Amino acid sequence: MIALEDVTKRYDSLTAVDGVSFEVPSGEVCVLIGPSGCGKTTTLRMINRLIEPTSGRIVIDGRDVMGIRPEELRRHIGYVIQSVGLFPHLTVAENVATVPKLLGWERSRYSPRVLELLEIVGLDADEYAKKYPRQLSGGQAQRVGVARALAADPPLLLMDEPFGAVDPLTRERLQAEFARIQRELGKTVVFVTHDVDEAIRLADRIALMRDGRLEQYDTPEALLDHPASKFVHDFMGADRALKRLGRARVADVMTSDVLSTTDGTGGVSRESCKEARFFYLTDDEGTLEGWVDCHVLDAGTSPEEAGTLVDWREAAVQPDTTLKEALSRMLGLGFRNVAVVDERGRLLGEVSLSAIERTMAEGDAHIANLPEGEILGVPPEEGVPPEARAQLDEGVQPEEGEVTT
Amino acid sequence: MALAGCLLLPFVEFRPNRIASGVPEGFAVAGLSGWLLVAAAALALISAFLPARSRGPALLGTGAATAILLLSALGSAAERLQEGAPVIARVSIGSGAWLAAIGAITVWFAGSRATGSVRVNRAVSVIALLAGLAVMLWGSVGELSLAKEYAVQSRRFWMLVRQHLVLSGAGLGAGMLIGVPLGVLASRSRVVRDFGLGVVSVIQTIPSMAMLGLLIAPLAALGLTAIGTTPAVIALALYALLPIMRNTFVGLAGVDPATIDAGRGMGMGRLQLLFRVEVPLALPLVIEGVRAAAVLVIGIAAVTAFIGAGGLGILVFQGWGQQADDLTLLGAVPMVVLAVFADAAMRMLRRLAVSPGIEEGGLS
Ligand SMILES: Nc1ncnc2c1ncn2[C@@H]1O[C@H](COP(=O)(O)OP(=O)(O)OP(=O)(O)O)[C@@H](O)[C@H]1O
Ligand SMILES: [Mg+2]
């Protein structure tokens, strides 16, 4: 567990961090968020003493950090810096081995660990271990940065905009992988970002800062549903129902009860469709290759005509995908169902619009049950109706008439 | 240029004795090898107008060939001119041949740059070196005045080369021992940076002769004479200081702050940060500084002959004193060769010592 107690950092006339207190329970992800210059990085760097607080205390597992030698402290806290900062003269493997070497590990101990970590962050160890940082793409460099921070298996991880400098698609993948790693490793994480969606997706708790002060510290749901101030409300954004979908994953609402065949369109007939909307086509390994649209089949066309061949990378989602992303994929494809595949494209099931709507309805009910006054500074007409639904109705209805459930 | 040199200017000079003024002779006196030389130079000229793809190798080949043929032609010319002449007669290298040499080497380098392949360049250098040696051994290069001076001086010559190397090496070594730490300090402290670099830059502007004079007083204060090896090494070290210190400083200052921050964040102490991150990243510039210092010091070491420190400068000054140009050359040419070797050695060191992760073209 890590606790900040009334921590303040002053530079001459400017107070970068002003009396901030919060606690992060072990194994939880705390996301520090706020506008640029609000003191996120300063707060983070006071935890591993890269910056010394002017006043206040920081306690990790009962020990005041000021009582620990800075180098010692830092070797036991994983740190991913804002600009990646890989050592350009060292190979990927040497970069990852930095902290284990500082801790005096034997080569026989850290070598296998390095390879294991590269696999954990999704890099092929054989291919990347011997490369130098300048041979990596931005996303690969960020992965190595994360692997380097995890190398000595520190219980606490500080991450300063670790997925900042990459394109949205890569960022989405890195987030999904971070969420997976975190589920497996259960670190205590303090994570800085200024991307609200990222915070909502990854955080157990969000610390929203403004001008050095802590505005609100609570779960993402609470920040969305009970913003403590107009600033919090505005910062979290108006599309809160959609935002909430950014927290749920496909795995939570998908069904594995789908029809599939390895025999191509020949294996599909109108009768075999039964109630389902899609009959999926896979190869012998189960990799999604396409589908037959049962509604088109109903209209009297042959299975070949009703079949579509697709690339699963574009036409399917994965269990780690957020519902928000899944929804946007549905809108893009123009269907009310989308296939779920694993990372090699093997069909796992599907997720339907109705399942997503149920998730949204739970959130709506939650909001609807609140007394009006509780959403501070929010005009009632703006607060309640989920824009997402309007979007959905427009986007899907014209092409796909009936709803199958 | 090589072609012009061969055709228009005297190729060699024939002198009745060592110091008498010479009679100019054209390249034709070299006979067959002279004509071959002209042909190679002409080919080099044509190569320069080839399309980009074949230009590099063509320049490389013709440049190297011109250089070798030049050596051989000089030998032949000397041999022919001395046929029947008195034993004390000398044949010196004429301005045309010098120009041809410069032209050939320029073409060679241009070719090696345009080719850009380390392997091809190395192969051409080795072949040229072997051919050059063969010409030296079996050709008549020994008939040239320069070679005759060497034959007379050979024992003293090697002693002086050794002296020159010791002087330059000691000066460079001392310059590194002081300059690198000073550069590190300069990157840590503003005072050292402004004051230290300022002083060292002023030292650099003192002409070498004046430096030797200026050292008299401080050395006397320390109870040392201003004559001999010690003051020479001190002077050389002072000159080596600036390039080494400045490059060390610039190299360290150029390290990305994010990289240093990462090192600190990983839990590196100050020295670990310096030796594991900062120095390896600054190394290309540090070595570059040492390289510049080495070339500089080898040149300035010639002047220290004036204060009795020895070295190849002695041959140069004696040559001037006796108006024996070839004796001067016997001192000057090896200095150039030493400088070229020092330069090459430093480039090799850089290839070996600098991480391929930060060296342009370090990854293939
Ligand atoms: N060394 C320093 N000296 C003076 N002021 C500083 C120093 N470091 C940070 N500040 C100021 O403190 C404030 C908080 O900075 P900080 O880096 O923590 O912001 P941030 O929330 O991380 O911003 P960003 O999202 O842009 O990274 C800023 O106004 C910044 O200018
Ligand atoms: Mg920041």
Side-chain angles (χ1 to χ4, degrees):
Chain A
M1 195 198 66
I2 153 166
L4 278 74
E5 299 170 8
D6 200 19
V7 174
T8 295
K9 177 65 190 180
R10 254 188 289 279
Y11 293 109
D12 300 322
S13 58
L14 180 128
T15 306
V17 175
D18 191 358
V20 166
S21 305
F22 62 85
E23 279 184 13
V24 188
S26 293
E28 286 204 353
V29 179
C30 163
V31 173
L32 287 177
I33 192 170
S36 196
C38 69
K40 306 180 293 290
T41 297
T42 309
T43 306
L44 192 76
R45 288 161 70 88
M46 284 192 286
I47 296 173
N48 66 3
R49 292 191 61 185
L50 283 169
I51 296 175
E52 307 268 293
T54 312
S55 66
R57 252 163 46 103
I58 296 173
V59 180
I60 300 176
D61 290 332
R63 289 177 75 190
D64 188 334
V65 294
M66 295 311 284
I68 310 172
R69 208 165 61 85
E71 285 80 26
E72 204 51 42
L73 177 73
R74 290 174 201 148
R75 287 173 199 173
H76 293 98
I77 299 179
Y79 182 43
V80 182
I81 77 168
Q82 193 158 358
S83 39
V84 189
L86 295 183
F87 304 120
H89 60 300
L90 300 181
T91 62
V92 164
E94 289 165 336
N95 263 284
V96 176
T98 305
V99 179
K101 279 185 188 164
L102 288 171
L103 288 169
W105 288 19
E106 298 288 330
R107 172 181 280 275
S108 59
R109 183 166 167 213
Y110 69 69
S111 289
R113 173 76 180 149
V114 165
L115 302 182
E116 179 194 342
L117 276 162
L118 289 178
E119 299 292 348
I120 288 181
V121 299
L123 290 174
D124 177 30
D126 289 334
E127 189 182 346
Y128 290 98
K130 294 268 173 302
K131 291 207 168 180
Y132 284 91
R134 65 176 163 137
Q135 296 170 292
L136 304 178
S137 70
Q140 290 162 349
Q142 306 232 357
R143 286 163 201 260
V144 177
V146 173
R148 183 174 65 172
L150 288 169
D153 204 11
L156 174 59
L157 212 54
L158 308 179
M159 311 178 84
D160 198 345
E161 301 197 25
F163 313 134
V166 291
D167 61 278
L169 256 175
T170 309
R171 171 178 266 241
E172 138 78 27
R173 289 199 52 198
L174 288 170
Q175 287 169 354
E177 276 168 38
F178 172 77
R180 172 181 57 78
I181 294 169
Q182 174 58 14
R183 273 198 304 282
E184 282 164 22
L185 304 181
K187 304 285 181 195
T188 309
V189 183
V190 183
F191 188 112
V192 168
T193 182
H194 49 229
D195 175 348
V196 178
D197 291 306
E198 185 168 80
I200 291 173
R201 176 170 193 182
L202 300 177
D204 293 306
R205 284 155 204 273
I206 294 179
L208 178 51
M209 295 183 68
R210 174 197 200 180
D211 296 338
R213 297 180 152 277
L214 189 59
E215 283 279 322
Q216 187 169 2
Y217 181 55
D218 216 326
T219 60
E221 289 81 5
L223 262 80
L224 286 168
D225 300 341
H226 314 283
S229 64
K230 172 138 175 47
F231 173 76
V232 175
H233 171 263
D234 291 348
F235 194 88
M236 297 307 287
D239 54 343
R240 291 202 308 282
L242 208 48
K243 287 259 160 55
R244 206 176 301 103
L245 287 182
R247 255 188 95 59
R249 294 180 309 129
V250 163
D252 303 336
V253 302
M254 66 179 271
T255 167
S256 49
D257 185 18
V258 290
L259 300 170
S260 72
T261 174
T262 56
D263 299 336
T265 50
V268 186
S269 67
R270 202 183 314 184
E271 296 71 47
S272 62
C273 268
K274 293 182 206 134
E275 295 289 287
R277 174 63 199 270
F278 290 116
F279 208 116
Y280 292 103
L281 310 173
T282 68
D283 66 9
D284 292 339
E285 256 92 69
T287 308
L288 179 69
E289 290 186 320
W291 56 65
V292 174
D293 187 335
C294 292
H295 284 186
V296 179
L297 215 53
D298 287 343
T301 25
S302 67
E304 295 87 73
E305 284 172 279
T308 316
L309 290 186
V310 295
D311 179 355
W312 59 268
R313 284 171 201 83
E314 279 153 27
V317 296
Q318 297 188 10
D320 271 342
T321 311
T322 65
L323 290 190
K324 185 176 171 185
E325 177 66 25
L327 185 58
S328 113
R329 199 65 64 91
M330 282 182 200
L331 292 172
L333 292 167
F335 293 122
R336 294 178 162 262
N337 304 61
V338 60
V340 183
V341 298
D342 67 9
E343 69 280 359
R344 297 222 212 110
R346 287 174 299 211
L347 183 67
L348 297 174
E350 74 179 4
V351 61
S352 64
L353 180 58
S354 47
I356 295 179
E357 276 180 316
R358 274 197 297 279
T359 310
M360 289 207 301
E362 283 162 29
D364 286 348
H366 188 54
I367 287 190
N369 292 341
L370 290 174
E372 281 281 300
E374 238 187 280
I375 306 164
L376 292 179
V378 188
E381 68 275 15
E382 185 197 325
V384 182
E387 302 77 351
R389 175 157 299 157
Q391 237 169 322
L392 279 177
D393 293 343
E394 276 168 33
V396 180
Q397 221 66 290
E399 230 189 275
E400 302 298 324
E402 318 92 317
V403 182
T404 30
T405 13
Chain B
M1 182 162 73
L3 197 59
C6 292
L7 296 179
L8 304 177
L9 292 169
F11 186 61
V12 289
E13 293 189 352
F14 177 77
R15 311 172 194 217
N17 62 49
R18 187 171 169 226
I19 51 176
S21 62
V23 182
E25 297 281 353
F27 71 93
V29 298
L32 176 64
S33 54
W35 285 107
L36 279 178
L37 168 65
V38 174
L43 281 178
L45 189 67
I46 296 167
S47 308
F49 297 103
L50 285 177
R53 229 161 52 82
S54 47
R55 190 191 303 146
L59 285 176
L60 194 63
T62 50
T66 310
I68 306 293
L69 286 170
L70 177 63
L71 206 57
S72 143
L74 281 170
S76 310
E79 195 173 37
R80 288 176 163 223
L81 284 170
Q82 275 167 333
E83 241 160 58
V87 189
I88 53 164
R90 290 297 175 95
V91 178
S92 318
I93 302 166
S95 50
W98 282 124
L99 201 60
I102 294 171
I105 289 172
T106 310
V107 168
W108 186 345
F109 278 12
S112 91
R113 181 152 297 173
T115 308
S117 149
V118 176
R119 205 170 309 156
V120 170
N121 279 322
R122 204 169 287 163
V124 170
S125 301
V126 169
I127 293 171
L129 202 68
L130 290 177
L133 274 176
V135 170
M136 296 254 211
L137 286 178
W138 292 297
S140 335
V141 179
E143 300 298 324
L144 279 174
S145 177
L146 186 60
K148 286 188 170 170
E149 290 288 354
Y150 167 71
V152 175
Q153 305 272 358
S154 75
R155 289 198 56 185
R156 195 159 78 105
F157 172 79
W158 286 112
M159 194 261 296
L160 291 175
V161 168
R162 229 182 356 260
Q163 258 184 3
H164 203 93
L165 274 178
V166 169
L167 278 176
S168 321
L172 187 67
M176 278 167 64
L177 281 180
I178 305 167
V180 172
L182 271 181
V184 173
L185 285 179
S187 75
R188 304 289 133 120
S189 137
R190 187 170 220 114
V191 179
V192 179
R193 183 176 72 207
D194 295 345
F195 185 74
L197 279 176
V199 168
V200 172
S201 306
V202 170
I203 292 177
Q204 198 75 8
T205 61
I206 302 175
S208 44
M209 284 296 207
M211 170 78 86
L212 295 174
L214 286 174
L215 277 176
I216 293 175
L219 285 174
L222 292 170
L224 296 169
T225 59
I227 298 292
T229 310
T230 313
V233 170
I234 293 178
L236 293 177
L238 286 175
Y239 281 113
L241 216 50
L242 178 71
I244 296 176
M245 175 180 174
R246 189 184 46 202
N247 275 37
T248 305
F249 165 71
V250 172
L252 290 174
V255 176
D256 183 353
T259 309
I260 294 180
D261 200 51
R264 291 216 309 140
M266 303 287 116
M268 291 188 187
R270 289 158 75 100
L271 285 182
Q272 286 169 329
L273 202 55
L274 181 66
F275 287 112
R276 295 190 188 197
V277 178
E278 295 180 89
V279 168
L281 289 177
L283 206 55
L285 272 174
V286 175
I287 293 177
E288 190 55 31
V290 174
R291 191 185 66 79
V295 172
L296 186 74
V297 160
I298 287 171
I300 294 181
V303 179
T304 59
F306 275 119
I307 55 169
L312 288 165
I314 291 195
L315 295 179
V316 176
F317 295 130
Q318 270 181 7
W320 283 343
Q322 303 171 5
Q323 295 191 350
D325 291 353
D326 294 306
L327 186 56
T328 304
L329 279 180
L330 189 63
V333 171
M335 271 196 272
V336 175
V337 173
L338 281 186
V340 169
F341 272 130
D343 186 279
M346 286 301 165
R347 286 180 203 280
M348 196 134 83
L349 176 68
R350 178 164 170 169
R351 257 207 302 283
L352 293 177
V354 173
S355 158
I358 54 171
E359 196 69 287
E360 210 156 299
L363 302 164
S364 33

